[in-house]
Amino acid sequence: MTGESVDIPSRVYEEEPGECPGPGLTGTQRLILHCLYSRHHDGRVRQRHLEALLPAAEPWVVPYVIQQAGEYVREIQEAIRQGLPGIAVPHSLQRRLYGAFIVRNAEFFARTERRAVSYWACYHRAEHPVFGASPGGVLMAEFRAAATECAGTAWPRHTPRPVAAALTPPAAATARPPSPGSPP
């Protein structure tokens, strides 16, 4: 599925189905159920259903995962990193799948990055003083690397610069003007 819209609910308040949701459901129907319940108002329910989505290689599952990566629940961000080991592996299926989605949905990803920074600043800065070292920051960097690989060019950053870059002054700021009488 490419070129189609997916409406992601902000939250689902319906009661979660039983332990083994829909034994009569097809694999696709089960994935759809997990997508919907990955938006549940209870973070534990969201995490459970999100973890069931992570192995899926369906393009329409990707926005549900990326949406969660930009939210405030650190445990969910950590579960995504553990459940997507291929995202950090160049040319892997997961990296191509997520990179292609981000390239086609640049605004969605930019908004997700900004949201991740905002939640980090509000809830997690004390534990992780540097955004790039936080679970959300690491995920955003991995997703950005996937998009860079897919696009063939550096993907725009909507997060704070890495610490090393933040501490290095721009070249223009470090250049000294020539002293009077010195050759140009």
Side-chain angles (χ1 to χ4, degrees), residues 161-174:
R161 293 185 323 198
V163 173
L167 296 177
T168 305
T174 59

Side-chain angles (χ1 to χ4, degrees), residues 88-146:
V89 177
H91 310 294
S92 71
L93 174 63
Q94 282 181 337
R95 191 168 177 138
R96 287 192 315 266
L97 185 67
Y98 282 78
F101 174 82
I102 292 166
V103 168
R104 286 191 317 270
N105 297 279
E107 289 179 32
F108 174 80
F109 184 66
R111 188 172 46 252
T112 301
E113 280 187 299
R114 288 187 204 97
R115 187 178 295 126
V117 171
S118 179
Y119 283 129
W120 161 77
C122 188
Y123 298 111
H124 305 295
R125 186 177 274 200
E127 183 180 355
H128 299 281
V130 176
F131 175 76
S134 71
V138 172
L139 265 177
M140 293 304 122
E142 289 173 346
F143 287 145
R144 215 174 20 263

Side-chain angles (χ1 to χ4, degrees), residues 30-74:
R30 198 168 291 117
L31 279 176
I32 292 169
L33 181 118
H34 290 308
C35 284
L36 292 173
Y37 280 92
S38 74
R39 303 303 306 145
H40 198 268
H41 68 95
D42 181 327
R44 289 178 187 89
V45 173
R46 277 198 309 276
Q47 184 171 348
R48 228 181 355 265
H49 288 277
L50 178 71
E51 287 172 347
L53 291 174
L54 295 173
E58 299 293 338
W60 50 269
V61 168
V62 174
Y64 287 89
V65 175
I66 290 179
Q67 176 85 16
Q68 291 295 319
E71 293 191 1
Y72 62 92
V73 181
R74 185 192 68 237

Side-chain angles (χ1 to χ4, degrees), residues 154-179:
W155 198 252
R157 167 186 298 282
H158 298 95
T159 62
R161 293 185 323 198
V163 173
L167 296 177
T168 305
T174 59
R176 292 187 178 160
S179 52

Side-chain angles (χ1 to χ4, degrees), residues 51 54 75-86 139:
E51 287 172 347
L54 295 173
E75 293 82 3
I76 289 177
Q77 293 171 334
E78 291 167 350
I80 293 170
R81 285 204 62 228
Q82 291 173 2
L84 294 179
L139 265 177

Side-chain angles (χ1 to χ4, degrees), residues 8-30:
I8 301 173
S10 58
R11 287 289 180 252
V12 171
Y13 294 92
E14 297 297 318
E15 191 172 320
E16 183 182 22
E19 279 298 312
C20 182
L25 298 179
T26 66
T28 299
Q29 290 169 329
R30 198 168 291 117

